[in-house]
Every structure is written in C-alpha cells, then in structure tokens.
Amino acid sequence: MLKEIYQRQSIRKYKTKPVEQEKIEELLKAAMQAPTARNNQTWRFLVITNRRQLDEMTELQPYTGMMKTAPCAILVMGDKEASADEGYLYLDGAAAIENILIEAVHQGLGTCWCGIWPKTERVEGFQKKFSLPAEYIPIGVVAVGYADEEKPIQNRFDVTKIQYVK
Ligand SMILES: Cc1cc2nc3c(=O)[nH]c(=O)nc-3n(C[C@H](O)[C@H](O)[C@H](O)COP(=O)(O)O)c2cc1C
C-alpha cells in the first residue's frame, strides 16, 4: 500500500511552526489532480492563515477545536455554477480533500478534515464569515500544520465488510 495512505491520521494538535507556501501549493496541486464528475473541476479553495479566523472557527463548526493550534486551514468549496448536477459537487470536493490529506503526509504535514456540508448552519456560517459568493458551497475545512502529537496507526482492514461476486 502507498505508505502515505496508511500513515495518514487526523491530527488535532499542531506546532506553531508556519506551513511553507511551497508546501501549501503542493497540497493545492494535489487537490486539483483529483477526479471530478464530467471533469468540471468544481472545487474552489480558500487558504486561511489569519490567527483570529482560525481561533474563531469553533463558532462556525463546534468540532474544529484543533484550529486553535493549527497555523493554516484550507477551506474546500464547490462552485454550484460549475456543476452540471449539484450532487456531484460534494463528491468532487471530498475527492479533492482526500488528495490534500495524502499529499500532506508526503510533505511531512498533519491534517484534520472537518465537515461543513451538509449541515446548513455551518455552510451559511462559513459563507457569511468569509463573504463567499452565494454559489460557493463550503464542503469541508482541513486543518494543516506540523503535528504536535503522536498516535499509533490503526489498521482498519476488515474482511467481513467485503463480498466477492463469483
Ligand atoms: C466528512 C468528515 C467530517 C469530519 N469532521 C470532523 C470534525 O468536524 N472534527 C474532527 O475533529 N474530525 C473530523 N473528521 C475526522 C474523523 O473524525 C476521522 O477521520 C476519524 O475519526 C478516523 O480517524 P483518522 O482520520 O485518524 O483515521 C471528519 C472526517 C470526515 C471524513
């Protein structure tokens, strides 16, 4: 297995060290290599490094406490106007987020995916706070930084969840 897939885990405590701009760009490049329905490339990204905005994120999404230590977050949005079928918007966004998480491991960074969509109050909260255009739907926000915690890797492989059709 690709070692980055196996090593990825949600990091909820970060060092104060900022994330280098080149590394953030690598994460965004990885995101934009993700597949999208009809190749519509519906994703849009907002890189947040403002300390106050990171500290206040729990007001928009209660389970983003790790942002108080994270030096950076990437808000992944979907542009409704770029999508032929709105349902695909969220799948496109999720695939991009996963690419960010895996590339981050490769860059020596930790991440935590925090859900926004489909919770309406979170979607509206992020839209308002960051003055987003109405057609930009926040899908998830990823904390990014250098990990300040170590956790054992879990092996979740479970043969009982698989069936082979013969
Ligand atoms: C759609 C989605 C939403 C998530 N939202 C949050 C969140 O709001 N806060 C959080 O701390 N973790 C969040 N997570 C991370 C999960 O809790 C985590 O992936 C899961 O517990 C497995 O742990 P691991 O990522 O370390 O393997 C989210 C993950 C996904 C895929």
Side-chain angles (χ1 to χ4, degrees):
M1 193 195 291
L2 192 66
K3 75 175 183 335
E4 287 83 353
I5 289 181
Y6 196 72
Q7 288 170 349
R8 185 216 57 79
Q9 51 185 186
S10 294
I11 296 298
R12 299 191 175 86
K13 195 163 179 255
Y14 297 92
K15 296 181 176 155
T16 50
K17 181 180 172 175
V19 181
E20 297 84 348
Q21 176 62 21
E22 312 81 70
K23 290 200 175 186
I24 293 172
E25 271 170 33
E26 290 303 308
L27 303 187
L28 296 168
K29 283 181 194 164
M32 293 191 221
Q33 284 305 115
T36 52
R38 296 189 180 184
N39 195 22
N40 277 335
Q41 301 172 31
T42 54
W43 7 252
R44 305 290 180 265
F45 305 92
L46 185 69
V47 179
I48 304 164
T49 52
N50 180 283
R51 188 65 267 151
R52 199 156 66 90
Q53 288 175 334
L54 293 164
D55 286 342
E56 290 174 358
M57 213 171 274
T58 47
E59 293 169 16
L60 310 174
Q61 207 278 39
Y63 307 105
T64 58
M66 82 297 292
M67 297 292 181
K68 292 191 195 300
T69 62
C72 178
I74 300 176
L75 177 63
V76 179
M77 303 162 285
D79 180 353
K80 267 206 287 197
E81 287 187 354
S83 179
D85 180 332
E86 195 181 323
Y88 286 135
L89 206 64
Y90 311 109
L91 303 176
D92 294 348
I97 292 172
E98 181 65 13
N99 270 17
I100 291 174
L101 307 189
I102 302 302
E103 178 63 28
V105 178
H106 188 64
Q107 297 293 333
L109 295 163
T111 54
C112 187
W113 176 344
C114 300
I116 300 176
W117 186 86
K119 305 269 186 205
T120 312
E121 71 281 6
R122 295 183 190 173
V123 170
E124 290 174 355
F126 275 87
Q127 279 177 325
K128 191 161 174 233
K129 177 91 176 180
F130 295 100
S131 307
L132 305 176
E135 65 273 20
Y136 281 23
I137 310 299
I139 296 167
V141 61
V142 181
V144 183
Y146 289 92
D148 196 19
E149 63 172 338
E150 269 184 47
K151 301 192 288 188
I153 300 287
Q154 291 175 21
N155 183 340
R156 290 192 284 248
F157 185 69
D158 178 357
V159 284
T160 68
K161 296 202 167 124
I162 309 166
Q163 287 190 334
Y164 292 94
V165 180
K166 297 212 171 90

